Amino acid sequence: MKRRTGILAVLSLTAGLIVAVGVASPPPAAAYPNPVVELFGHGFGHGRGLGQYGALGYAIDHGWSYKQIVGHYYGGTTEGNIGNPTIAVRLSRMDGKATLVQQERGQMSIAGEVGTYTALQVLPLGNSLWQVQSAPTCAGPWSNVGGARAGSVSIVPTVTSDDPRDMIQICEAGAYRWYRGAIESHYNGTSAETINRLEMESYLRGVVPRESPASWADLGGGAGIHALRAQAVAARSYAQAEDRPGVSKTCDTTSCQVYLGKAEQVGTAAFKLLEDARTDRAIVETAGEVRMLNGAIARTEFSSSTGGVTAGVAGGSPFPTVTDDGDDTASNPNHNWTSKIGVDVVEAKYGKGGLVDIKVLERNGLGAEGGRVRKMRLFFTGGNVDVTGDEFRLAFNLKSDWFTPVNIASFPYHVVTRDGGVFSFGGAEFHGSLPGIGVKTQVKDITEGPGGGYWLLGEDGGVFSFDVPFYGSMGGQRLNKPVVGMEASASRQGYWLVAGDGGIFSFGDAPFFGSTGNVKLNQPVVAMAPTKGGRGYWMVATDGGIFTFGDAPFHGSTGDLRLNQPVFAMAPTPGGQGYWLVARDGGIFTFGDATFQGSLPGRGVLETAVELLPSPSGFGYLIVTAQGRVHAFGDASSGGGPADVGGGGSPAVGAGRVV
């Protein structure tokens, strides 16, 4: 069971299968229903290996040690230790440029040569040649230090300490940065590169606080230090396992790991130290520790947020997929996210005319909504475009490739009010109502029949047919408990009525599979739902207890939970492998393959829910309220409710999706 009342949530892990969820046939050529493409998604980054927010969540919410954290994310690895080797880091901002450095105390020299300098410039001449020049500062004036030099040039500090004034300072356009260790100029083929060569533990002092905030150490009464320790182990392993082209082992950007050295001064901003005592502590307390895989140092990738499930082997990781419960920590802004892209922006990107629709065709089968997008199709008036989820992410700067287009699945539905008034939305046809034929009977629900017609269920068990056959009713008969619900058979050539004691009454071709009419119940039955093929049905009580009959599988219940509000309805998923339960406050409970897309309490909506209508894909639903409003979640698009068309005189009591 998964109880959810937040805006979005991560669901259970499905075994790593590729799930085809789209359709191949194009939709009718019509304008996209909204001026923006709205998406909701999960996670930030590729999701391979450790999730940084997940590490924090495990540390402060679950009480895990850093060893438990890295062991969880990097399944199959063992602990190792590499000591403190040197590492060469390519400073990407300097690619193709001269190496320009200064040392404000005049305490640097060219390796292997006599003499100290305050500022040096190493100019690439091509053909693996360099010209070194010196000056009082990075502003010049410059004079040559000898002739052209072949191979590479290494500039080293003559004094080593933690004081930035003893370190070499790289001069960039509008910025100055201070680095531990040596600064070297190398050729990578014909391209000039600037390298920072230093000890691994010193390098990590610049990396760890850039990758995970040092302030995390203060969270959870100090338990957050375990997230920083886990980050230190992951960063150390990743760096040592790297093997970049040329001299460098790694780089200084998000393509490798973010590294900006000891300190920086950018533009007119004040001098800023980039290292922190708290991350220094995490590095010292894990000194040399790495993760080993198959006898080699593991390339321990990590990202900001996994969204609740790691990408696993199917996502290019050497580590098994794991559920990431830590990711749902309160401070994580990336566990669930939303994004909006202008339709005009999408149209301009692909140049195929007007955008008509977006369909996800294939996912990786891991987590909510089927997991990360593997393949999707954009329908335009001038043709279709197929892209991967990652290509779409990069094109529109999304946080991850785990997303779902929302509020685009429009489908026809009816809403019925207690006085028998019927309201049609989303293209549903109106076939009549009780006030329209002069009948004054209180109505309990509406059930969709064949051809767009429908039946109305009266509170006395009577059934009223509108452009559908009448097969019988319980109206006027003496019952142990009143009828509370009605459902159509698979063929729509019959229906069941269910009473509050779980008694089942079958009409037309609706088969009888059993009931609880002779069973003493803890709570009364409030609804039923047939299985996909109509060879069984579920019943649900107000406490969320589930009763199964025929081929209806049991996926779970809330029968043993204390609920804020009673359950009043249930709806099966399109594939029949799960169901939603809905409480009166609009809280949602998901079982089996039912996906959680949101709830009324999660949106702060204080209304009384009366029905849930799943979208055709199962990745969205409408919640209809007694107040006559229809709230859309996931990919479902609301066409409105009685309150939107002036029908608020009688409360809504039910709704049905036209099939």
Side-chain angles (χ1 to χ4, degrees):
M1 184 280 297
K2 299 172 278 275
R3 163 67 161 159
R4 300 288 189 266
T5 56
I7 296 295
L8 296 164
V10 172
L11 276 77
S12 60
L13 178 66
T14 303
L17 303 174
I18 299 299
V19 180
V21 296
V23 294
S25 58
Y32 196 79
N34 300 299
V36 296
V37 175
E38 297 185 52
L39 306 109
F40 71 82
H42 311 279
F44 191 177
H46 50 63
R48 297 188 292 271
L50 177 143
Q52 291 160 321
Y53 274 103
L56 176 65
Y58 280 127
I60 66 174
D61 299 332
H62 300 261
W64 285 19
S65 71
Y66 79 93
K67 291 182 183 291
Q68 288 176 290
I69 294 170
V70 294
H72 177 68
Y73 287 111
Y74 302 120
T77 66
T78 57
E79 185 177 325
N81 197 294
I82 59 171
N84 190 21
T86 60
I87 185 170
V89 185
R90 179 168 63 90
L91 305 181
S92 305
R93 294 178 307 280
M94 306 300 292
D95 285 353
K97 301 176 184 177
T99 301
L100 187 61
V101 297
Q102 63 184 21
Q103 213 296 322
E104 55 197 275
R105 291 176 169 174
Q107 297 173 165
M108 66 179 176
S109 64
I110 302 169
E113 299 183 13
V114 177
T116 58
Y117 303 91
T118 302
L120 289 170
Q121 178 174 228
V122 185
L123 297 169
L125 302 178
N127 297 319
S128 298
L129 296 175
W130 308 91
Q131 177 62 61
V132 178
Q133 297 179 325
S134 68
T137 70
C138 282
W142 298 99
S143 58
N144 290 344
V145 179
R149 302 159 188 260
S152 62
V153 177
S154 177
I155 302 170
V156 296
T158 58
V159 175
T160 302
S161 78
D162 275 346
D163 188 339
R165 292 172 295 180
D166 288 333
M167 299 176 189
I168 296 176
Q169 174 184 345
I170 287 189
C171 306
E172 303 175 28
Y176 301 92
R177 290 187 170 87
W178 287 257
Y179 290 89
R180 299 174 181 275
I183 302 297
E184 301 176 357
S185 300
H186 292 271
Y187 279 99
N188 183 3
T190 60
S191 177
E193 291 183 346
T194 299
I195 303 295
N196 179 205
R197 190 181 299 274
L198 71 168
E199 293 180 334
M200 174 67 78
E201 302 301 286
S202 295
Y203 161 70
L204 293 176
R205 294 177 70 177
V207 169
V208 176
R210 303 281 69 75
E211 293 289 356
S212 293
S215 59
W216 283 3
D218 304 325
L219 302 180
I225 189 66
H226 286 284
L228 299 184
R229 290 170 179 160
Q231 178 68 75
V233 173
R236 185 183 292 110
S237 300
Y238 181 84
Q240 189 63 20
E242 283 272 85
D243 187 19
R244 298 277 164 168
V247 175
S248 62
K249 193 169 187 63
T250 189
C251 65
D252 62 348
T253 70
T254 54
S255 296
C256 304
Q257 299 185 114
V258 178
Y259 170 67
L260 298 175
K262 166 74 174 182
E264 68 177 4
Q265 187 169 10
V266 180
T268 58
F271 172 86
K272 179 182 179 181
L273 287 171
L274 300 176
E275 298 174 354
D276 190 283
R278 294 164 292 191
T279 46
D280 285 351
R281 173 191 163 196
I283 295 162
V284 169
E285 290 172 345
T286 63
E289 283 188 42
V290 293
R291 303 302 297 182
M292 306 295 294
L293 181 65
N294 299 325
I297 298 170
R299 191 170 183 267
T300 48
E301 290 184 280
F302 51 86
S303 60
S304 173
S305 168
T306 68
V309 180
T310 64
V313 175
S317 173
F319 313 109
T321 298
V322 292
T323 300
D324 186 1
D325 292 331
D327 193 72
D328 195 12
T329 192
S331 63
N332 184 4
N334 306 313
H335 181 66
N336 302 307
W337 50 264
T338 60
S339 182
K340 295 183 179 181
I341 310 167
V343 167
D344 58 337
V345 175
V346 178
E347 292 170 344
K349 168 66 179 177
Y350 296 105
K352 289 281 189 176
L355 180 65
V356 176
D357 200 1
I358 298 176
K359 297 290 185 185
V360 174
L361 303 181
E362 189 178 284
R363 294 178 181 270
N364 71 354
L366 302 173
E369 302 91 53
R372 294 174 179 268
V373 176
R374 290 290 172 259
K375 183 179 179 181
M376 59 191 297
R377 179 166 297 163
L378 292 86
F379 297 87
F380 297 93
T381 55
N384 303 336
V385 176
D386 286 356
V387 295
T388 67
D390 199 53
E391 288 169 344
F392 192 78
R393 173 189 70 84
L394 293 171
F396 301 106
N397 197 31
L398 303 179
K399 289 186 175 182
S400 75
D401 60 358
W402 186 354
F403 55 80
T404 298
V406 299
N407 296 339
I408 61 171
S410 177
F411 52 85
Y413 61 91
H414 295 105
V415 178
V416 65
T417 53
R418 184 170 292 159
D419 63 0
V422 176
F423 299 82
S424 303
F425 302 95
E429 296 181 356
F430 176 76
H431 292 272
S433 66
L434 294 191
I437 60 175
V439 175
K440 295 183 178 179
T441 296
Q442 299 294 293
V443 168
K444 191 75 176 176
D445 203 356
I446 185 171
T447 299
E448 302 294 334
Y454 42 80
W455 296 280
L456 300 186
L457 174 64
E459 289 194 339
D460 63 350
V463 174
F464 302 87
S465 301
F466 294 86
D467 291 337
V468 288
F470 174 76
Y471 296 107
S473 77
M474 299 306 294
Q477 300 191 44
R478 185 182 180 89
L479 304 175
N480 293 329
K481 294 291 182 181
V483 170
V484 294
M486 175 182 183
E487 291 291 340
S489 65
S491 68
R492 306 276 162 177
Q493 301 301 311
Y495 43 75
W496 297 275
L497 304 185
V498 59
D501 60 357
I504 294 290
F505 308 95
S506 301
F507 300 90
D509 69 352
F512 177 78
F513 297 106
S515 74
T516 61
N518 60 353
V519 177
K520 185 174 182 179
L521 304 177
N522 293 328
Q523 296 292 331
V525 167
V526 287
M528 70 172 291
T531 59
K532 184 177 181 181
R535 304 305 301 170
Y537 42 74
W538 298 274
M539 288 191 290
V540 61
T542 57
D543 61 356
I546 295 290
F547 307 91
T548 64
F549 300 89
D551 66 355
F554 178 76
H555 295 293
S557 75
T558 63
D560 58 348
L561 296 181
R562 181 168 182 162
L563 306 179
N564 295 327
Q565 293 286 327
V567 168
F568 79 94
M570 72 179 301
T573 60
Q577 298 304 307
Y579 41 76
W580 294 271
L581 302 186
V582 191
R584 278 294 181 189
D585 62 356
I588 301 295
F589 304 83
T590 63
F591 300 88
D593 66 353
T595 67
F596 177 80
Q597 309 293 348
S599 67
L600 296 188
R603 288 188 177 176
V605 176
L606 301 178
E607 297 179 12
T608 303
V610 298
E611 193 69 77
L612 181 144
L613 301 178
S615 68
S617 70
F619 297 138
Y621 41 76
L622 302 178
I623 297 180
V624 183
T625 69
Q627 288 75 12
R629 297 182 181 87
V630 178
H631 302 270
F633 297 85
D635 69 355
S637 179
S638 172
D644 301 309
V645 293
S650 181
V653 293
R657 194 187 90 201
V658 178
V659 293

